[in-house]
Amino acid sequence: MAFLYILNWTEEVKPRISAIVLCLLVPTTFCSVIAAALMYTSYLMANNEVPFPACKGYFSVLHQQYKFVVDGPGIIKKGYEQFKNGLFEIPRTFRFGQVILCQPELIEELRNTQSTLVSPEPWIDQLLQISHVMPGYFPAGMGWPKIAKTTPGLIRATVYKHLHRYMPSINQAIISQLQTLEFKDGECNVGCFDLAYSIVARSGSFALVGSRLSRNEEYLKAVKDHILGMIVTTRVQFLVPDCLKPYIGGLISRLATFRTSWDMHASRKIMLKHFDARAAEYHAEIFSRTGPSETNLDDSDSPVEIFQWLYESSVLRDRWTYSEVIGEMLLLQFAFIYTTSYGLYGALVELARQPEYIAPLREEIDLIFSKMGPTVPACDGMVLTDSFLKECQRLHPPSALSAHRVCVNDLKLSNGTTLKQGSHVAVPSGIIQRSSEHYANPDAFDGFRFVKRAAAGAKDTRLVDLSPNYLVFGMGAHACPGRWMASALMKLAFAHVLNRYDIVLPNSALIPLTGSLSFEEFYVPNFGLKIALRQR
């Protein structure tokens, strides 16, 4: 009887053991396959002549890939300290590694290399995962969209050349956003990034889609939710092998923002509703004239909406489809609004941390605005404010890397190193901007650093200037074309906040400006950081 009992018990236990073994075996096998795939692609795509920050052993490569995902700036700094007179490479998940040029001669060589050899366009395509996150907007298999090649020139021709036309409405949009703040007993506690983000979303939308939509709260909320949703979705999508994205990409994009307000798909539907309505108005305007005609950028005294010009080009000249126009508008919103918001966010935090700068900055703003008002010459004359904003950007860039390029073909550098076709190349701008070789006491905040450098005869000291030791806006022909508007917008917003409020950052020494994690080379703002605005 005892033997039969033991036999029955054994028969009952066997399925349990099998289930336990299966539960352990399946995830272990899955993880092993993923790890092997990561190793294989890393070795296959790595440039053999370029060193890694650590050795190229099995576990070391996996660790470097993990560290780059969760603390990209940290591993970039480690690599720069080792190879500051050369270059190095960081392995990435399921794609070419990130080659980082440290030597000044190599950086200058990259700046002067033609786009036919190293191009930023494939990098932008991969960064934003356009074919997966924005399917159907651009022609498939035809390279970088023609409309995206044209828009930078349009921005230079309108926003830069005719910036003065946009200033009154941008100024009013900033005032309107500040009027939405709710004060109790003269004080308003607000998330610092949310404040900067809301200001830029409203004022930046004026140049993109016009005054009416820049006052539409439903549209503005959708824009902000869509941009943050797109950031989260693209970063998660970036980690997935391209061969699996057609099958699980849609699911991943929805899971990435599950139970958040950053629902990219829902917010996009709202924006499309407003885009379609605005496009119908453009269409009516075009054909209500004596004959179909488009807006002349130079003859018009009013600021030209970017959306309007793109739409008119699609209707009258068949340069691109309406879907391409909408896709380009989504990309422009992402590029301009988020990066400008991050710059303004860092400046507001530093202003609260460094109250000794408030008095001289207010004095400059009061003096210039009383004479010139909120104009382009006034913004150009705000040299102290310009220096303060540039110092904030120097210490708090949105990314530890800039000047991204992808090798169109194998590229042989002047030091003899050959980079494989498809290799990602960039410059460690975040590290360079904190280097003692370029800046005295580089980790200390000096709001008037660039005013002093200009007085000493240094060149390229303005916020919008490009130089090898200040790369926030990129370098060369592919530098940010909207930096003049971004600069003017930040100065106007900064001036209004300074003149209206005293700014307090509770426990300022204890609260970091960035979140606890970065994502690859990109810094993440501390969404929980709040400032107190006290009415003057």
Side-chain angles (χ1 to χ4, degrees):
M1 293 293 293
F3 174 76
L4 292 175
Y5 175 78
I6 293 172
L7 186 63
N8 290 335
W9 180 81
T10 304
E11 292 297 327
E12 292 177 4
V13 169
K14 279 184 179 179
R16 298 178 187 174
I17 294 176
S18 300
I20 293 172
V21 170
L22 189 63
C23 289
L24 294 175
L25 186 61
V26 170
T28 302
T29 303
F30 178 77
C31 291
S32 299
V33 170
I34 294 296
L38 285 170
M39 285 300 304
Y40 175 74
T41 53
S42 294
Y43 283 121
L44 181 67
M45 297 180 175
N47 291 279
N48 297 327
E49 303 174 30
V50 182
F52 284 6
C55 67
K56 295 187 178 183
Y58 180 85
F59 292 107
S60 176
V61 169
L62 291 178
H63 179 70
Q64 289 175 78
Q65 289 176 334
Y66 165 76
K67 287 293 292 182
F68 189 56
V69 170
V70 300
D71 183 24
I75 195 171
I76 292 169
K77 182 179 180 181
K78 178 181 177 181
Y80 183 84
E81 291 171 349
Q82 292 178 257
F83 306 104
K84 63 186 303 181
N85 293 317
L87 72 167
F88 65 97
E89 180 175 346
I90 300 174
R92 306 181 90 159
T93 55
F94 300 114
R95 62 193 69 250
F96 283 95
Q98 178 65 65
V99 177
I100 298 174
L101 307 181
C102 304
Q103 189 179 33
E105 291 78 10
L106 293 178
I107 295 173
E108 182 65 14
E109 183 179 345
L110 178 65
R111 187 179 75 86
N112 294 324
T113 303
Q114 296 179 352
S115 298
T116 53
L117 300 176
V118 285
S119 172
E121 294 164 359
W123 177 80
I124 298 172
D125 189 19
Q126 293 187 40
L127 170 72
L128 300 180
Q129 296 290 290
I130 291 173
S131 58
H132 304 289
V133 175
M134 300 172 56
Y137 286 99
F138 301 111
M142 297 180 62
W144 190 240
K146 182 174 67 173
I147 188 173
K149 294 176 181 287
T150 305
T151 307
L154 166 66
I155 293 173
R156 293 187 186 97
T158 57
V159 175
Y160 172 59
K161 185 177 179 181
H162 302 303
L163 182 57
H164 61 281
R165 299 178 183 174
Y166 295 85
M167 295 294 282
S169 295
I170 289 177
N171 183 66
Q172 185 55 51
I174 293 169
I175 294 173
S176 298
Q177 184 58 45
L178 293 177
Q179 289 173 343
T180 65
L181 297 175
E182 297 181 359
F183 287 81
K184 183 178 181 180
D185 299 326
E187 183 172 308
C188 173
N189 289 283
V190 62
C192 190
F193 181 79
D194 184 61
L195 173 64
Y197 195 33
S198 298
I199 290 173
V200 177
R202 187 182 296 274
S203 51
S205 291
F206 173 81
L208 293 171
V209 293
S211 59
R212 196 182 66 196
L213 283 185
S214 70
R215 296 192 299 267
N216 187 298
E217 299 300 330
E218 181 188 50
Y219 173 80
L220 293 176
K221 183 180 185 305
V223 167
K224 294 190 294 181
D225 289 346
H226 184 268
I227 292 173
L228 292 179
M230 194 170 175
I231 290 172
V232 175
T233 302
T234 54
R235 294 302 83 212
V236 175
Q237 288 265 22
F238 197 74
L239 302 177
V240 179
D242 289 341
C243 61
L244 296 180
K245 285 174 184 172
Y247 307 103
I248 63 175
L251 176 63
I252 287 175
S253 66
R254 294 187 179 276
L255 290 177
T257 55
F258 180 66
R259 297 182 68 85
T260 73
S261 63
W262 307 337
D263 188 328
M264 183 181 67
H265 300 280
S267 56
R268 186 177 294 175
K269 288 181 181 179
I270 295 173
M271 286 195 297
L272 291 178
K273 176 185 71 174
H274 290 288
F275 283 149
D276 290 345
R278 194 74 183 104
E281 294 173 353
Y282 294 150
H283 193 87
E285 291 174 11
I286 292 171
F287 291 95
S288 66
R289 302 163 187 163
T290 54
S293 61
E294 61 182 313
T295 304
N296 187 309
L297 300 180
D298 292 316
D299 289 347
S300 175
D301 292 329
S302 301
V304 176
E305 301 166 22
I306 303 297
F307 185 28
Q308 179 182 2
W309 189 88
L310 293 175
Y311 179 77
E312 288 179 349
S313 294
S314 73
V315 172
L316 296 177
R317 288 189 280 172
D318 294 323
R319 299 185 66 177
W320 34 68
T321 65
Y322 181 63
S323 293
E324 290 178 272
V325 171
I326 297 301
E328 182 65 5
M329 288 300 299
L330 296 176
L331 295 181
L332 287 174
Q333 288 178 336
F334 177 92
F336 181 79
I337 293 176
Y338 178 78
T339 53
T340 307
S341 299
Y342 196 95
L344 181 58
Y345 160 69
L348 292 174
V349 173
E350 285 296 353
L351 186 64
R353 287 177 174 171
Q354 318 284 345
E356 65 271 20
Y357 288 97
I358 292 178
L361 289 173
R362 276 180 179 158
E363 183 178 356
E364 176 187 70
I365 292 167
D366 289 342
L367 177 63
I368 291 178
F369 271 36
S370 64
K371 293 181 178 179
M372 304 181 186
T375 59
V376 173
C379 289
D380 290 342
M382 295 164 61
V383 293
L384 297 182
T385 303
D386 187 277
S387 176
F388 188 93
L389 290 172
K390 184 160 186 168
E391 178 73 350
C392 294
Q393 296 258 58
R394 180 185 75 84
L395 290 173
H396 309 300
S399 172
L401 299 176
S402 66
H404 289 269
R405 306 286 191 271
V406 173
C407 295
V408 179
N409 298 297
D410 289 355
L411 177 68
K412 188 169 184 178
L413 300 175
S414 57
N415 67 351
T417 303
T418 298
L419 302 181
K420 290 182 179 179
Q421 178 184 2
S423 294
H424 291 224
V425 189
V427 176
S429 53
I431 310 301
I432 290 173
Q433 290 169 190
R434 284 178 176 261
S435 171
S436 59
E437 296 180 8
H438 302 294
Y439 298 97
N441 200 7
D443 291 325
F445 183 88
D446 181 357
F448 299 151
R449 180 189 300 271
F450 293 97
V451 173
K452 300 171 188 174
R453 289 165 71 99
K459 298 180 179 179
D460 302 323
T461 58
R462 297 186 308 157
L463 177 61
V464 296
D465 289 338
L466 307 175
S467 70
N469 53 31
Y470 179 80
L471 296 155
V472 172
F473 294 115
M475 65 181 188
H478 299 289
C480 174
R483 62 187 184 273
W484 290 275
M485 174 171 276
S487 171
L489 192 159
M490 286 194 288
K491 288 177 183 178
L492 289 179
F494 205 62
H496 282 295
V497 171
L498 261 175
N499 277 339
R500 290 165 177 258
Y501 315 114
D502 290 319
I503 305 175
V504 179
L505 182 62
N507 303 317
S508 59
L510 304 176
I511 302 176
L513 188 141
T514 57
S516 57
L517 292 177
S518 62
F519 199 100
E520 295 195 328
E521 69 265 32
F522 299 100
Y523 295 101
V524 177
N526 185 347
F527 293 101
L529 192 156
K530 292 183 177 293
I531 59 173
L533 302 178
R534 295 173 181 168
Q535 292 176 319
R536 296 179 65 198

